[in-house]
Amino acid sequence: RDQRNSSVASRQAFGGINEIAFMIANLLEQLQNNQGGGKGGSGSPQSIQQMIEQLGEMKGNQQQLNEQLQQMINDMQGERLSNDQMERLNQLAKQQNRIRKQLQDLRESGGLEGDRAGSEIQQMIEEMEDTIYDLRGGAVDPTLIERQQNILTRMLDAEKAMQERDEEEKEREGKQPNDFRRANPSDITLEELEKQIRSRLNDPNF
């Protein structure tokens, strides 16, 4: 009987230690995030929903760029490029470069390296670099338009991959026991978390 009581007490103590361990881990995570937020804006990683919204905005900008480029090619009708047309192509190249930089930032800040969405984004970046080079050189042809459509398709694929990842993470979080589910750092202040840890440590029943 004493052995059974001892076993129960051990399990309770182990559960309390786990709870405090998660509290401390949460505290350390918040401290790291706060420190990162003061270093050139490199704070905690963005949520998947934030990344999906940003990618959606980039997708709209890419669609507009593709339409402008298609319209310009239609207007050219095989003629030699004028100075005004070359200037217009340079402006389109700058627009494409802005989208490329936004994708690069999204990939790095979102921790997508090695992810399926990250792979799609990397290929988009490389294709955009080819487009920028062609536009600056005045090389506009059906191959360029095909590449632009591929970029848009990859954006849709990356967006789908992010949505699937978001659903998988939510499903995984939903399966975690409540005792082991870590609170969102934004749901509790550092002071409140410290009070909880002190309270648990001073609990005579712990």
Side-chain angles (χ1 to χ4, degrees):
R1 182 174 182 179
D2 291 341
Q3 185 176 3
R4 187 186 311 114
N5 292 338
S6 176
S7 177
V8 172
S10 296
R11 288 197 298 271
Q12 291 175 339
F14 183 71
I17 291 172
N18 275 336
E19 184 178 349
I20 292 178
F22 277 111
M23 288 181 178
I24 294 174
N26 202 336
L27 176 62
L28 291 174
E29 181 178 346
Q30 290 193 56
L31 290 173
Q32 290 173 351
N33 289 343
N34 290 342
Q35 291 174 354
K39 296 181 181 179
S42 57
S44 58
Q46 302 180 75
S47 71
I48 297 180
Q49 280 300 325
Q50 287 175 319
M51 291 190 288
I52 291 174
E53 291 175 3
Q54 290 182 25
L55 185 59
E57 183 176 345
M58 292 180 221
K59 184 175 62 178
N61 293 336
Q62 185 66 46
Q63 178 69 50
Q64 291 179 5
L65 175 61
N66 289 1
E67 291 174 355
Q68 293 176 44
L69 185 55
Q70 181 65 67
Q71 184 61 48
M72 184 173 180
I73 291 177
N74 293 340
D75 293 342
M76 286 167 52
Q77 297 179 347
E79 299 176 0
R80 291 186 59 183
L81 293 174
S82 64
N83 290 336
D84 288 343
Q85 288 174 327
M86 282 300 303
E87 177 60 28
R88 181 56 182 154
L89 287 178
N90 283 329
Q91 291 299 321
L92 293 175
K94 289 179 181 179
Q95 291 181 36
Q96 186 66 87
N97 196 39
R98 280 195 293 269
I99 299 174
R100 182 194 65 80
K101 288 180 178 179
Q102 290 172 346
L103 277 174
Q104 184 72 44
D105 291 342
L106 180 67
R107 183 173 180 268
E108 293 174 356
S109 64
L112 296 173
E113 289 82 356
D115 188 275
R116 183 161 70 92
S119 176
E120 293 288 353
I121 290 176
Q122 181 58 37
Q123 292 182 68
M124 277 187 275
I125 290 172
E126 294 173 0
E127 290 183 332
M128 287 180 182
E129 289 172 350
D130 291 338
T131 291
I132 294 167
Y133 179 83
D134 286 346
L135 290 175
R136 288 173 177 169
V140 287
D141 53 31
T143 301
L144 176 63
I145 294 300
E146 183 179 353
R147 185 193 303 133
Q148 294 304 97
Q149 291 301 322
N150 287 340
I151 290 173
L152 204 56
T153 299
R154 290 191 188 282
M155 282 188 167
L156 292 170
D157 291 341
E159 186 177 45
K160 182 179 178 181
M162 286 183 186
Q163 290 171 344
E164 290 175 352
R165 174 177 164 182
D166 187 38
E167 292 173 0
E168 289 173 359
E169 290 189 1
K170 287 179 179 178
E171 183 179 355
R172 186 162 54 247
E173 289 174 0
K175 290 181 179 179
Q176 291 180 354
N178 290 332
D179 292 343
F180 291 88
R181 193 175 303 160
R182 293 171 58 182
N184 188 317
S186 62
D187 292 340
I188 185 171
T189 65
L190 291 173
E191 291 77 14
E192 291 172 344
L193 188 57
E194 183 180 2
K195 288 180 182 178
Q196 288 186 20
I197 294 175
R198 290 183 182 278
S199 175
R200 290 296 295 165
L201 289 174
N202 294 328
D203 187 350
N205 296 321
F206 170 66

